[in-house]
Amino acid sequence: VTAGGAPGDREPTAGGAPGGRRPTTLEEVAALAGVSRATVSRVVNDSPRVSEQAREKVLHAIAELRYMPNRAARTLVTRHAGSIALVVAEPGTRLFGEPYFAGLVRGVSQALAQGTDEQLVLLMRQSKEDSGRLERYLRNGHVDGALIVSLHGRDNLPERLHDAGLPTVLGGRLLRECPVPCVDVDNVGGARTAVGHLLATGRRRVATITGPLDMGAGVDRREGYLRAHADADAAVDERLIVEGDFARSSGYEGARRLLEQAPDLDALFAASDLMALGAMRALAEAGRSVPGDVAVIGFDDSELAAGAYPALSSVRQPMTEMGRQMTRMLLDVIDGVDRELTVTLGTELVLRDSG
Amino acid sequence: VTAGGAPGDREPTAGGAPGGRRPTTLEEVAALAGVSRATVSRVVNDSPRVSEQAREKVLHAIAELRYMPNRAARTLVTRHAGSIALVVAEPGTRLFGEPYFAGLVRGVSQALAQGTDEQLVLLMRQSKEDSGRLERYLRNGHVDGALIVSLHGRDNLPERLHDAGLPTVLGGRLLRECPVPCVDVDNVGGARTAVGHLLATGRRRVATITGPLDMGAGVDRREGYLRAHADADAAVDERLIVEGDFARSSGYEGARRLLEQAPDLDALFAASDLMALGAMRALAEAGRSVPGDVAVIGFDDSELAAGAYPALSSVRQPMTEMGRQMTRMLLDVIDGVDRELTVTLGTELVLRDSG
DNA sequence: TTGAAAGCGCTAACAA
DNA sequence: TTGTTAGCGCTTTCAA
């Protein structure tokens, strides 16, 4: 059974019944209640300028007809969509693997719950082909604003949305100048502290598996690694550095490569918990004990870190707070409130068994 | 900095510029191109009834003005929203932990990519308070249809959407009669095969950590466990059965409880990979080797299963296929095509190191 | 406090 | 092939 038909030629049914029944309109409510459309509208929108008597009648009619206002009509006149988008600029595959996002969504929901009645919708870009449709969706007036996270390299979606006049806020800085407001965490500081700790506890050959180097988080955590070495007057050995992509498998592969090109490593800083976990597997397979032979520290302090065996030390980022801040910033942009363009949140090293 | 203002009183800006600039309209494009609005509309909608010359002029004007059609206006007249919702009826916390959803989303995206131009939006219900807003969003005409997964107990969202005339399809059966079309996997069969395998390979005390018993998947996998025992003429011992909620922690807790109330268990069937992983940790802590002392089989065949150590045997469910089927079914409902109300997809036991 | 009327930006007959 | 016209369902002046 295939869907059939060319793209775009489906039956018009939005909000309508498959069986043909059309949704009730304001007009019908007004007729049943014996008042004008304007009065019904006032009742629906909680205007105080309605008599108790009229309100009563209208509410009865609404209940009886199971009336629900038509969003499109409303949006058309109010220029307000009633929803904001959280855009994850990568395949859902990544999204669902990354415990990272859970806290973010929680924070966004919390901030949204207080102060607005906007519905949060999550949009993913599964493939390159989705881009066009996604951007159209966002610029269409479908949403009142967009939060964008996990943006790679030269993707200029933020600039395009900004130019189109859509209120937009970024999570995680870009590697270029960008006029779009941004909330970031102190990746440099977090990595620096973690690697500093490893060096301070006597590790001499500290390796790292970086994040993707076309992302701020990737570059900055690598920078923190370098600075910690500078802080300790320790030399940096390129053989101790490999690039990953935050996913578990790249941690596994990365660790194997490290074990090959620098078998004398005695510590590892992975730019994500998932990579740290993958790396720990590779270490186990190679017969290296953690933290005996090799100390390991991850980044994210996800649930997985605490649940790992041995429990993984990690740099905690306040994802929930990030979600909240991004949302407040977006609501301010929507409201035309002036604010600082960038906020950076602190991180914290959480030590467990692994290092 | 707080968002300020009462709910619902934000500035009207949908699709509009924060700076006040209003988006271009069809009318302005028509004026610039020197044609009527109808002609512009035809060009935008790829109608063949436009002269090459007119089309040219219009396209130029569109490019120059960076015109983008207003969705609300379009939706109002076409009764078509251009997006469908995937509703996950639980907190994002669960969502992002569960590798389960990645395949589903992939399947939905694939099916959507061919045959339609609908945008997929993911909606979560973080808290009980979100319900009202969520349901309003869905019934509003915001979307053309809804896919609902991970529904618990007496939640009658599907019925309400169905009554409201919104095309809806379920993923995973409900524990009650329901007029809403549904795609499910053969949970009973999958569990039966897995447990059957354990019994057939000489295990005598096979325990299980079930899913939540207010969900079809929970009840059905438990049923498969029972049937496998019946198949093998093996007695069922209630002490070998504990209830979990699919999350890792409940697997950990469940296994600890099992080890206490039935220390002689020699195999474990967990109704999710996450629970199996949690259980394996508890087993390790208790000094039980896997699969030497205790064989373990999970359910989902997620990436985590193959990546675990020891690698976890698991029942594979075709999540991508489920996403595809659900989507095709939904598109058919939207198009008013008659179809069977229920589809059940097969599962497959994947044996690895753990059992 | 209420109603009449004018759109919001677009599509879709219907005429020309 | 094109333009004119009439709405889609709602909010919002403006009068009454």
Side-chain angles (χ1 to χ4, degrees), chain B residues 222-268:
Chain B
R222 182 172 176 283
E223 176 63 24
Y225 169 88
L226 299 177
R227 291 228 194 134
H229 280 76
D231 294 343
D233 279 326
V236 170
D237 181 346
E238 283 297 332
R239 282 168 304 182
L240 288 169
I241 304 180
V242 299
E243 181 175 352
D245 65 4
F246 287 145
R248 183 187 294 254
S249 58
S250 79
Y252 178 80
E253 305 298 346
R256 288 175 58 117
R257 228 173 327 135
L258 285 170
L259 284 167
E260 188 145 324
Q261 67 197 35
D264 61 333
L265 64 89
D266 60 4
L268 171 65

Side-chain angles (χ1 to χ4, degrees), chain A residues 188-272:
Chain A
V188 175
R192 190 179 191 169
T193 305
V195 175
H197 168 81
L198 291 170
L199 291 169
T201 51
R203 305 290 172 167
R204 284 294 158 257
R205 299 283 289 164
V206 181
T208 188
I209 304 175
T210 74
L213 296 179
D214 62 348
M215 291 181 73
V219 169
D220 291 350
R221 289 173 198 174
R222 182 172 176 284
E223 177 64 23
Y225 170 86
L226 298 177
R227 291 224 194 137
H229 280 76
D231 294 342
D233 279 325
V236 169
D237 182 344
E238 282 298 332
R239 281 169 304 185
L240 287 170
I241 304 179
V242 299
E243 182 176 350
D245 65 4
F246 287 145
R248 183 187 293 254
S249 59
S250 80
Y252 178 79
E253 305 295 348
R256 288 177 56 116
R257 228 171 328 133
L258 285 170
L259 284 167
E260 188 144 325
Q261 67 195 35
D264 61 334
L265 65 87
D266 60 5
L268 171 66
F269 166 64
S272 80

Side-chain angles (χ1 to χ4, degrees), chain B residues 20-168:
Chain B
R21 177 166 34 109
R22 276 192 30 283
T24 331
T25 69
L26 236 194
E27 180 102 47
E28 303 174 70
V29 175
L32 180 58
V35 298
S36 73
R37 278 157 38 197
T39 299
V40 177
S41 178
R42 288 187 192 105
V43 171
V44 169
N45 294 294
D46 273 327
S47 160
R49 313 147 132 305
V50 193
S51 68
E52 209 33 67
Q53 185 187 2
R55 182 186 308 280
E56 199 82 342
K57 284 191 296 186
V58 170
L59 288 176
H60 269 106
I62 287 178
E64 185 165 337
L65 298 174
R66 301 240 200 93
Y67 170 69
M68 172 101 12
N70 176 316
R71 238 303 153 200
R74 200 177 242 180
T75 297
L76 187 54
V77 34
T78 61
R79 293 160 182 292
H80 179 280
S83 57
I84 73 152
L86 173 58
V87 181
V88 180
E90 28 195 339
T93 326
R94 266 289 310 288
L95 177 61
F96 298 104
E98 296 276 4
Y100 173 94
F101 294 102
L104 187 73
V105 170
R106 194 178 320 124
V108 173
S109 297
Q110 284 177 7
L112 232 39
Q114 50 184 237
T116 71
D117 194 38
E118 307 260 0
Q119 168 72 41
L120 174 64
V121 313
L122 193 66
L123 305 176
M124 295 148 290
R125 188 161 60 185
Q126 290 280 343
S127 63
K128 208 72 189 166
E129 301 80 64
D130 291 346
S131 305
R133 191 201 302 155
L134 181 69
E135 185 174 340
R136 243 175 294 137
Y137 183 92
L138 292 170
R139 293 184 47 185
N140 253 336
H142 246 305
V143 296
D144 297 322
L147 303 170
I148 309 183
V149 297
S150 202
L151 218 44
H152 282 259
R154 310 203 40 70
D155 190 336
N156 54 3
L157 180 65
E159 282 92 342
R160 290 207 303 278
L161 294 180
H162 187 262
D163 287 351
L166 183 76
T168 303

Side-chain angles (χ1 to χ4, degrees), chain A residues 77-139:
Chain A
V77 33
T78 61
R79 294 164 181 291
H80 180 281
S83 56
I84 73 150
L86 172 58
V87 181
V88 180
E90 29 195 335
T93 326
R94 269 289 308 288
L95 177 62
F96 298 103
E98 296 278 3
Y100 172 94
F101 293 103
L104 187 73
V105 170
R106 195 178 320 122
V108 173
S109 297
Q110 284 176 7
L112 233 38
Q114 49 185 239
T116 70
D117 194 38
E118 307 259 0
Q119 167 72 40
L120 174 65
V121 313
L122 192 67
L123 304 176
M124 294 148 291
R125 190 162 60 185
Q126 290 280 344
S127 63
K128 210 68 189 167
E129 301 79 65
D130 291 346
S131 304
R133 191 200 303 153
L134 180 68
E135 186 175 338
R136 241 174 296 138
Y137 182 91
L138 292 170
R139 294 184 46 186

Side-chain angles (χ1 to χ4, degrees), chain A residues 39-344:
Chain A
T39 298
V40 178
S41 178
R42 289 188 190 102
V43 171
V44 169
N45 294 294
D46 274 326
S47 160
R49 314 149 129 302
V50 192
S51 67
E52 209 34 67
Q53 185 188 2
R55 182 187 308 280
E56 198 83 342
K57 283 190 299 184
V58 170
L59 288 176
H60 268 107
I62 287 177
E64 184 165 339
L65 298 175
R66 300 240 200 95
Y67 171 68
M68 171 100 14
N70 177 316
R71 238 302 151 198
R74 200 176 241 184
T75 297
L76 187 56
V77 33
T78 61
R79 294 164 181 291
H80 180 281
S83 56
I84 73 150
L86 172 58
V87 181
V88 180
E90 29 195 335
T93 326
R94 269 289 308 288
L95 177 62
F96 298 103
E98 296 278 3
Y100 172 94
F101 293 103
L104 187 73
V105 170
R106 195 178 320 122
V108 173
S109 297
Q110 284 176 7
L112 233 38
Q114 49 185 239
T116 70
D117 194 38
E118 307 259 0
Q119 167 72 40
L120 174 65
V121 313
L122 192 67
L123 304 176
M124 294 148 291
R125 190 162 60 185
Q126 290 280 344
S127 63
K128 210 68 189 167
E129 301 79 65
D130 291 346
S131 304
R133 191 200 303 153
L134 180 68
E135 186 175 338
R136 241 174 296 138
Y137 182 91
L138 292 170
R139 294 184 46 186
N140 254 334
H142 245 306
V143 296
D144 297 322
L147 303 170
I148 310 184
V149 296
S150 203
L151 218 43
H152 282 260
R154 310 203 42 70
D155 192 334
N156 55 3
L157 179 65
E159 282 92 342
R160 290 207 304 278
L161 294 180
H162 187 261
D163 288 351
L166 183 76
T168 303
V169 169
L170 296 178
R173 77 178 184 92
L174 298 184
L175 292 174
R176 57 176 184 279
E177 284 305 315
C178 176
V180 180
C182 173
V183 178
D184 203 355
V185 300
D186 181 14
N187 287 304
V188 175
R192 190 179 191 169
T193 305
V195 175
H197 168 81
L198 291 170
L199 291 169
T201 51
R203 305 290 172 167
R204 284 294 158 257
R205 299 283 289 164
V206 181
T208 188
I209 304 175
T210 74
L213 296 179
D214 62 348
M215 291 181 73
V219 169
D220 291 350
R221 289 173 198 174
R222 182 172 176 284
E223 177 64 23
Y225 170 86
L226 298 177
R227 291 224 194 137
H229 280 76
D231 294 342
D233 279 325
V236 169
D237 182 344
E238 282 298 332
R239 281 169 304 185
L240 287 170
I241 304 179
V242 299
E243 182 176 350
D245 65 4
F246 287 145
R248 183 187 293 254
S249 59
S250 80
Y252 178 79
E253 305 295 348
R256 288 177 56 116
R257 228 171 328 133
L258 285 170
L259 284 167
E260 188 144 325
Q261 67 195 35
D264 61 334
L265 65 87
D266 60 5
L268 171 66
F269 166 64
S272 80
D273 282 352
L274 245 28
M275 291 198 299
L277 262 25
M280 278 167 70
R281 169 135 202 228
L283 290 171
E285 288 178 2
R288 307 289 184 102
S289 73
V290 173
D293 298 334
V294 182
V296 178
I297 300 185
F299 207 109
D300 284 350
D301 190 37
S302 58
E303 258 190 44
L304 294 172
Y309 192 68
L312 178 66
S313 297
S314 187
V315 179
R316 171 176 300 164
Q317 356 177 33
M319 291 313 297
T320 305
E321 183 57 21
M322 180 163 171
R324 274 193 225 110
Q325 294 268 5
M326 287 178 67
T327 307
R328 295 206 192 108
M329 212 176 230
L330 182 64
L331 294 176
D332 280 347
V333 175
I334 292 176
D335 287 347
V337 177
D338 262 338
R339 288 204 32 178
E340 66 284 78
L341 224 59
T342 305
V343 168
T344 303

